Amino acid sequence: MKLAYLLAAGAAFVAATSAEAATLISADVTGPSGTIWTTRHTGNYTVFLQSPGLGNFLNPNDESINFNVANTGVTRVLLAGEGYTPGTNIDSDPLYNLTLKFDGGQTLTGVYTPATNTFDGGTSFVDGNTTYSLIEFSYRRFLGDAVQPNVAVPGGDGNDYVGNFRISAVSPGAVPEPATWAMMLMGFGLIGAGVRASRKGRVATRIAYA
């Protein structure tokens, strides 16, 4: 029983990690014609981010975002943008570029083509022990009035934009810190002592019954 406990403690030390979530601080959707939807308060239309689901806006009044992306699994964020070009129901551009910026200076980018409804691949970056990758992005016109240019309430053009993006986070293996290594060595020492004590006990028992 003691040996099982010590083995479990050793396994917990091995699994220890100091990984932290990456913090998303801005998002831009742009097209080659010069169209811009952004969270950066530049006077252009706002792209509104929603997570975990529809209506849960991260920036409902065009404020700054400070969104922690999970350091394991997949994080999905919905998008909404004001209709442009006004008065039409077609996409403003043949493709859209997404740029996500994080508080550590990292970026993720990807391209979406409305005509073929295809995501043309995204970039990745490594933060600590975690690899973050843009694995999905879409953004296109729909027949609805979801938001205004700079506030997440209906109004303005009746043919707005919707879409989403997904970020995957993968940590293939934790790298323990120095203090963790010391604890691990202590734990393995205790495991070894437990094994030796157990062996001595079995030998003593055999001698007693010989």
Side-chain angles (χ1 to χ4, degrees):
M1 192 71 175
K2 290 182 178 178
L3 179 59
Y5 176 80
L6 291 170
L7 287 171
F13 288 133
V14 172
T17 178
S18 59
E20 296 180 355
T23 302
L24 179 66
I25 58 172
S26 74
D28 297 339
V29 176
T30 61
S33 71
T35 56
I36 301 174
W37 293 264
T38 179
T39 61
R40 292 181 298 147
H41 327 295
T42 60
N44 296 286
Y45 287 175
T46 300
V47 59
F48 297 98
L49 278 54
Q50 305 170 74
S51 184
L54 190 66
N56 298 296
F57 289 101
L58 303 180
N59 55 331
N61 297 297
D62 195 27
E63 60 265 48
S64 299
I65 59 173
N66 201 322
F67 177 63
N68 288 333
V69 175
N71 58 16
T72 56
V74 175
T75 299
R76 184 186 185 202
V77 178
L78 305 177
L79 302 173
E82 171 68 358
Y84 186 85
T85 307
T88 69
N89 59 9
I90 60 173
D91 291 294
S92 65
D93 292 87
L95 57 86
Y96 295 103
N97 300 281
L98 175 68
T99 301
L100 304 175
K101 294 186 178 181
F102 296 80
D103 63 345
Q106 311 95 332
T107 61
L108 291 176
T109 61
V111 178
Y112 172 73
T113 304
T116 55
N117 189 30
T118 54
F119 171 57
D120 299 322
T123 61
S124 302
F125 69 82
V126 177
D127 184 16
N129 196 42
T130 304
T131 299
Y132 294 90
S133 303
L134 182 65
I135 60 173
E136 182 181 356
F137 165 52
S138 64
Y139 192 74
R140 68 174 311 164
R141 208 75 180 259
F142 85 113
L143 303 178
D145 190 357
V147 295
Q148 295 183 37
N150 302 107
V151 61
V153 295
D157 194 274
N159 300 280
D160 288 342
Y161 287 80
V162 293
N164 83 112
F165 64 83
R166 291 194 302 148
I167 299 172
S168 74
V170 178
S171 300
V175 179
E177 296 179 347
T180 305
W181 279 114
M183 294 290 286
M184 285 172 58
L185 292 173
M186 184 184 301
F188 289 136
L190 290 172
I191 291 171
V195 171
R196 287 193 296 274
S198 176
R199 287 176 178 171
K200 288 180 180 178
R202 288 198 298 271
V203 171
T205 301
R206 286 198 296 270
I207 291 172
Y209 284 92

